[in-house]
Amino acid sequence: MEDPEYSELRHSELRHAELRHADLQYPIGKFDRSKAAHSAEDRKRLIDSIADLPERLRSAVAGLNGKQLDTPYREGGWMVRQVVHHLADAHMNAYARFKLALTEETPAITPFDEAAWAELADSRVTPIEVSLALVENLHARWVVLLRSLKPEDWERKVTHLKAGQMALNLMLSLYAWHGAHHVAQIDALRARNQW
Ligand code: NI
């Protein structure tokens, strides 16, 4: 008879291998496009989460040395450093998209090639402090803007060339998810390595 503990271990290893990729890349799950923020309560909660992101990101990377920052958060994934710079890249785009949506009629939004941006020199070698400060300052302005929106403003849309039409109430949930998603990747890496 097989040692039950061994069998359990083997089973969990197999299961772990199956789930490994999706779990590591999407530790909080993929974004659910059905989750637009339709109520004022939902929007308040999501704006608060965007307001807290700079601090959550800072604690996620606190105390990591250069070698740890240059470690991919999963095999074949971005280095921690690139994840931090990616949040600045993506949220600068997001902020501009909100402002475009508020000042133009359903403007067309150009997607950016996030993988290619992450390979440019500034994403690979800039000290993370630069992007931590950038994200802090960017989110400070973004949150002032978000808290000023009237209920009807949340229905304003952009046309994303790949994702189609998106209202601001959907983009709000998307970016609240996006910040939490990348922070969770870093948290999971640290937990696995006991850093
Ligand atoms: Ni991202």
Side-chain angles (χ1 to χ4, degrees):
M1 200 178 95
E2 216 171 22
D3 179 343
E5 272 182 32
Y6 173 73
S7 151
E8 205 168 273
L9 177 70
R10 213 176 47 164
H11 176 75
S12 99
E13 271 172 4
L14 282 174
R15 173 133 182 90
H16 192 67
E18 272 165 33
L19 291 176
R20 194 174 164 79
H21 181 78
D23 274 359
L24 296 184
Q25 189 169 11
Y26 295 100
I28 63 166
K30 289 194 179 183
F31 177 63
D32 177 356
R33 270 186 73 106
S34 70
K35 294 249 166 81
H38 289 299
S39 72
E41 292 73 32
D42 282 350
R43 290 195 291 265
K44 186 190 176 303
R45 178 177 51 79
L46 294 167
I47 296 170
D48 287 348
S49 152
I50 288 177
D52 290 344
L53 189 266
E55 209 180 300
R56 282 187 285 146
L57 180 60
R58 203 175 263 287
S59 10
V61 296
L64 293 181
N65 62 35
K67 198 174 163 219
Q68 291 168 325
L69 291 172
D70 288 338
T71 304
Y73 79 90
R74 65 172 169 89
E75 213 181 297
W78 284 332
M79 300 181 285
V80 174
R81 187 186 301 283
Q82 288 171 298
V83 172
V84 173
H85 294 312
H86 162 71
L87 277 166
D89 286 349
H91 293 191
M92 284 191 285
N93 273 280
Y95 178 60
R97 289 167 180 183
F98 269 79
K99 295 191 65 130
L100 288 166
L102 290 166
T103 54
E104 296 176 21
E105 281 313 311
T106 319
I109 298 301
T110 315
F112 73 102
D113 184 341
E114 56 178 31
W117 281 40
E119 293 306 324
L120 295 175
D122 63 320
S123 299
R124 299 185 65 90
V125 302
T126 310
I128 56 164
E129 182 52 41
V130 174
S131 281
L132 292 176
L134 179 54
V135 166
E136 243 157 45
N137 286 301
L138 177 66
H139 278 231
R141 275 192 68 178
W142 193 9
V143 165
V144 169
L145 178 70
L146 295 174
R147 289 190 173 139
S148 76
L149 298 199
K150 298 181 198 73
E152 63 270 26
D153 291 333
W154 291 101
E155 305 300 328
R156 297 187 70 90
K157 292 183 172 71
V158 297
T159 301
H160 187 283
L161 294 179
K162 280 187 187 156
Q165 284 209 343
M166 284 197 292
L168 291 186
N169 58 25
L170 179 61
M171 285 168 51
L172 175 66
S173 340
L174 171 63
Y175 287 105
W177 168 85
H178 185 252
H181 159 72
H182 286 296
V183 166
Q185 289 173 336
I186 300 171
D187 287 344
L189 171 73
R190 291 188 74 153
R192 284 197 309 281
N193 288 296
Q194 299 180 311
W195 288 348

